[in-house]
Amino acid sequence: MEEVILVDENDKQIGVSEKIKAHKEGKLHRAISVFVMNSKDELLLQKRAKNKYHSGELWTNTCCSHPKPGESTKDAAMRRLEEEMGFSCQLTEAFNFTYKVKFDNGLSEHEYDHVFVGRFDGKPKPNPDEVEDWKWIVSEKLRNDIVKHPENYTYWLKAVIDRFISYTKA
């Protein structure tokens, strides 16, 4: 059984929950999002696998997930980058944000999301159970495409793209 860490609005742990139950009940839980860029300042996107429990076949950041109980956010980010995209790189925590969205399938995301950034110039080896496709894209081009075609992207990527671009420009 996969569990997530329930948190309050300050990211203080208040419990744990089975993952799907937390998503059915819309409970605030800790999450990680990883944004990896190459030396050309392109962002690595993944297209989520069709069989994901929500947001399948949508483009999103390099990887995202939840820390396991007792696991640090950085360790979770490193673990999931390797599991989803088949590589590792140095990651730095950049910022965090909270969001809430309800999906058509009855599930919700209500996450306190820790955003990590890294650099990588190799070729990813994505896990086909997690990732349907991948591509490198310049952040400004991505932002423009999100405006034109929001239906192609995950909610959380749309919610954080401006803040991510500002962070990379600072």
Side-chain angles (χ1 to χ4, degrees):
M1 173 177 71
E2 203 172 334
E3 292 181 316
V4 295
I5 301 166
L6 301 178
V7 297
D8 66 15
E9 63 280 351
N10 298 309
D11 196 36
K12 181 176 181 270
Q13 182 172 339
I14 57 171
V16 297
S17 174
E18 190 277 322
K19 181 174 90 170
I20 297 300
K21 182 178 184 217
H23 288 89
K24 283 181 180 173
E25 297 175 354
K27 300 280 189 184
L28 182 60
H29 57 280
R30 191 172 291 152
I32 54 99
S33 289
V34 177
F35 288 75
V36 173
M37 298 183 76
N38 63 20
S39 57
K40 298 180 201 172
D41 283 335
E42 296 170 317
L43 174 61
L44 179 59
L45 295 185
Q46 68 154 279
K47 188 174 189 182
R48 289 169 59 92
K50 185 177 186 171
N51 64 342
K52 298 293 278 185
Y53 63 105
H54 67 73
S55 306
E57 298 185 298
L58 295 180
W59 288 98
T60 197
N61 50 290
T62 310
C63 80
C64 45
S65 191
H66 310 96
K68 296 176 182 180
E71 182 181 39
S72 74
T73 53
K74 184 164 187 179
D75 287 346
M78 297 292 291
R79 173 179 56 81
R80 287 306 291 169
L81 182 59
E82 181 69 40
E83 289 172 357
E84 288 187 33
M85 299 303 289
F87 70 90
S88 61
C89 66
Q90 188 67 30
L91 296 175
T92 303
E93 188 162 0
F95 58 89
N96 54 61
F97 72 106
T98 303
Y99 72 94
K100 186 174 188 176
V101 61
K102 190 163 180 67
F103 299 109
D104 292 340
N105 66 0
L107 298 179
S108 296
E109 280 288 15
H110 190 193
E111 295 190 332
Y112 191 104
D113 201 343
H114 295 256
V115 175
F116 290 85
V117 296
R119 292 269 178 190
F120 177 72
D121 278 312
K123 184 177 178 186
K125 299 175 209 75
N127 176 345
D129 293 334
E130 301 283 345
V131 179
E132 188 171 303
D133 199 2
W134 62 273
K135 65 182 174 183
W136 294 101
I137 188 169
V138 176
S139 297
E140 297 291 342
K141 183 177 177 186
L142 171 61
R143 178 169 40 197
N144 292 339
D145 198 57
I146 286 173
V147 169
K148 289 178 189 167
H149 304 285
E151 69 281 1
N152 294 338
Y153 297 93
T154 60
Y155 179 87
W156 57 92
L157 180 61
K158 294 183 281 192
V160 78
I161 191 63
D162 288 335
R163 188 156 177 203
F164 170 74
I165 290 171
S166 293
Y167 174 84
T168 62
K169 303 277 188 236

